[in-house]
């Protein structure tokens, strides 16, 4: 990892409080969505008598944190999203989309190992 690629903080544990604090630190606006999704997942988990909704919620936000806790990775993701949105050909969109997929795979591995 290059020096400018250093993480702002270590990858937090995949539980509600550490992820909540990380999301708040990374993007206070996203913290609002985190809370809304947390309550929806909790409610669904209770209604379904299942841990799957909460596990899915924690994994999804773990990936978010993994993506955005490294500034260069977060910036590259935003740049690639713009490229997909403004692509003048399907091939351009596919190339940028492939790189987004690679970023997501790396973040998913980090989230899964937390």
């Amino acid at each position: 990892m290059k020096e400018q690629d250093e993480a702002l903080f270590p990858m937090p544990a995949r539980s509600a409080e550490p992820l909540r604090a990380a999301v708040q630190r990374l993007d206070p606006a996203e913290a609002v969505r985190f809370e809304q999704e947390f309550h929806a997942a909790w409610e669904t988990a209770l209604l379904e008598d299942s841990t799957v909704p909460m596990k899915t919620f924690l994994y999804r936000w773990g990936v978010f944190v993994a993506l955005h806790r490294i500034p260069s990775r977060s910036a590259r993701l935003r740049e690639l999203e713009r490229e997909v949105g403004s692509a003048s050909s399907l091939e351009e969109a596919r190339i940028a989309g492939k790189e987004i997929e690679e970023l997501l795979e790396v973040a998913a591995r980090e989230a899964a190992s937390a």
Side-chain angles (χ1 to χ4, degrees), residues 51-71:
T51 61
V52 172
M54 286 306 296
K55 287 181 179 181
T56 301
F57 166 82
L58 294 171
Y59 177 76
R60 178 236 181 288
W61 283 97
V63 171
F64 174 89
V65 169
L67 276 169
H68 296 288
R69 71 190 185 97
I70 300 174

Side-chain angles (χ1 to χ4, degrees), residues 9 30 82 98 103:
F9 49 83
E30 285 296 309
R82 282 190 298 274
K98 179 66 176 160
L103 288 174

Side-chain angles (χ1 to χ4, degrees), residues 2-114:
K2 297 176 190 168
E3 203 169 316
Q4 74 263 22
D5 290 343
E6 287 186 23
L8 297 172
F9 49 83
M11 187 64 198
R14 198 173 3 148
S15 60
E17 289 309 314
L19 288 174
R20 178 180 283 117
V23 171
Q24 179 66 40
R25 183 172 174 188
L26 290 168
D27 188 339
E30 285 296 309
V32 172
R33 191 160 56 113
F34 177 97
E35 290 302 325
Q36 292 168 339
E37 290 181 15
F38 173 82
H39 293 292
W42 183 257
E43 202 170 289
T44 302
L46 290 173
L47 289 172
E48 295 177 1
D49 193 26
S50 172
T51 61
V52 172
M54 286 306 296
K55 287 181 179 181
T56 301
F57 166 82
L58 294 171
Y59 177 76
R60 178 236 181 288
W61 283 97
V63 171
F64 174 89
V65 169
L67 276 169
H68 296 288
R69 71 190 185 97
I70 300 174
S72 62
R73 184 188 294 170
S74 183
R76 183 64 182 147
L77 176 63
R78 287 189 302 275
E79 182 181 321
L80 289 165
E81 289 171 336
R82 282 190 298 274
E83 286 179 22
V84 168
S86 65
S88 59
S89 71
L90 185 55
E91 186 59 25
E92 283 181 16
R94 282 185 180 147
I95 291 168
K98 179 66 176 160
E99 192 174 340
I100 290 172
E101 178 184 6
E102 292 165 2
L103 288 174
L104 287 170
E105 286 173 358
V106 169
R109 283 193 301 273
E110 288 177 17
S113 66

